[in-house]
Amino acid sequence: MHITVCLSQQKPEPWQEGLQAALPDATVSVWQPGAAAADYAVVWAPPQAFFDEQPGLKAAFNTGAGVDALLSLRVAPSTRLVRLDDAGMSVQMAEFACHAVIRHFRELDAYEADVREGRWSYRKPRARADFPVGVMGLGVLGERVARALTVFDFPVHGWSRSPKTIDGVRCHAGEAQLDTFLSSCRVLVNLLPLTPQTQDILNRRTLGLLRPGGYLVNLARGAHLVDEDLLALLDSGHLAGAALDVFRTEPLPAGHGFWNHPKITLTPHTSARTLREESIAQIARKIAALQRGEPVAGEVDRQRGY
Ligand code: NDP
Ligand code: OXD
């Protein structure tokens, strides 16, 4: 069995070594143009040339949860696409989302600014009931985030394509319930995959449905958000702020209106990092399962787009 590793933005050698150790009977190599045909691939944003040269792959394992970049490439229909299925990401996403929501709810930035100016001042405690939080996308990451938020007694709503039941979370599903979901929330956490249906879903109309003083936490993909619409809603005061981890163009270009905006908190696409050891262990288990002819979790449905 031959496994090839083709990663942009990550060093391939540690993945090659880790996979080799986990699957000693396999031959694991780093892909180069013109390399021999492989059975399996471990990829992140590979060039089109990679799939053009490797039409016989049985499966390609994405080293992230989002497969939008992968699905923009031409891949042989016989190659199964498999994404990371948690692999240590959901706990990171839960801590990051809870931190963003609590930082806003408890006005921690305002306290920090006061303290920096030598002011010992108090703000009136805000009622949790006035801060219902909505989680868009209730998959591997969104469900864990929604559950984590309930621990802090926020009213929590969730929205997904198919109906769900999650303890403590008021679940809404499908296009027909999107507006009811949004107008129930003041804080919105986005954990949708990027698909033709979800591109630009965070826009003037949808964000305008949030309760006044709304707050956006975008942890999924930059192309979910219409940047100018967010800026307009922040300027009008309908939205109180936003925490953004993902952007249409990454790194965020110099001079973009999000840099230094007083109501926007930025992080550089870091809310849930790929953890190499966990990911290698998961991919190795899945390759062994596929070799035995067993199904694996996290297989991408190309029609659905995630
Ligand atoms: P999943 O595929 O497990 O979950 C996706 C969820 O979105 C599902 O609940 C699905 O509904 C729902 N959904 C999909 N399309 C629609 C739609 N049109 N309308 C309503 N709901 C929809 O993905 P993950 O939870 O693993 O990851 C989510 C995203 O998070 C990734 O695609 C990636 O973009 C992003 N991400 C960001 C990271 C970061 O560091 N910022 C790190 C990792 C991921 P249903 O359950 O009915 O299928
Ligand atoms: C992912 C990401 O999709 O890092 O895993 O964004």
Side-chain angles (χ1 to χ4, degrees), residues 97-256:
C98 289
H99 175 268
V101 172
I102 291 166
R103 177 178 176 176
H104 171 61
F105 171 63
R106 295 295 302 269
E107 302 184 86
L108 297 180
D109 288 333
Y111 275 110
E112 189 181 328
D114 283 350
V115 166
R116 280 189 191 284
E117 292 187 8
R119 270 200 304 276
W120 182 274
S121 62
Y122 288 103
R123 284 156 199 275
K124 190 161 174 264
R126 314 207 271 193
R128 238 161 263 274
D130 293 337
F131 282 80
V133 185
V135 181
M136 296 181 101
L138 295 173
V140 174
L141 304 180
E143 176 174 350
R144 176 92 186 237
V145 165
R147 286 188 192 279
L149 286 162
T150 65
V151 171
F152 297 100
D153 292 350
F154 290 105
V156 181
H157 295 255
W159 184 68
S160 53
R161 214 162 72 126
S162 54
K164 308 259 179 258
T165 309
I166 304 173
D167 269 357
V169 179
R170 177 104 190 267
C171 294
H172 310 254
E175 286 275 338
Q177 293 180 15
L178 176 60
D179 290 5
T180 317
F181 161 72
L182 291 168
S183 42
S184 308
C185 305
R186 185 150 172 200
V187 180
L188 185 64
V189 180
N190 177 34
L191 279 165
L192 289 168
L194 181 62
T195 67
Q197 289 72 40
T198 64
Q199 171 146 357
D200 298 332
I201 195 167
L202 303 172
N203 55 48
R204 194 182 292 249
R205 190 193 80 78
T206 53
L207 295 174
L209 289 171
L210 294 179
R211 295 194 187 176
Y215 192 81
L216 172 68
V217 182
N218 189 16
L219 306 179
R221 285 292 181 264
H224 285 131
L225 173 66
V226 181
D227 295 1
E228 314 79 69
D229 290 4
L230 173 67
L231 291 170
L233 289 163
L234 290 170
D235 289 347
S236 75
H238 182 72
L239 293 185
L244 306 177
D245 185 52
V246 286
F247 306 91
R248 278 186 185 255
T249 306
E250 294 180 1
L252 184 64
H256 190 287

Side-chain angles (χ1 to χ4, degrees), residues 46-120:
Q48 180 60 54
F50 171 77
F51 284 115
D52 291 347
E53 286 190 16
Q54 296 283 336
L57 288 171
K58 294 181 195 160
F61 293 86
N62 193 45
T63 62
V67 289
D68 42 292
L70 205 51
L71 291 180
S72 68
L73 300 174
R74 282 183 314 280
V75 182
S78 53
T79 301
R80 299 160 86 159
L81 300 179
V82 185
R83 64 184 205 103
L84 282 184
D85 179 32
D86 197 337
M89 281 190 184
S90 72
V91 65
Q92 297 178 67
M93 215 38 123
E95 72 197 355
F96 197 96
C98 289
H99 175 268
V101 172
I102 291 166
R103 177 178 176 176
H104 171 61
F105 171 63
R106 295 295 302 269
E107 302 184 86
L108 297 180
D109 288 333
Y111 275 110
E112 189 181 328
D114 283 350
V115 166
R116 280 189 191 284
E117 292 187 8
R119 270 200 304 276
W120 182 274

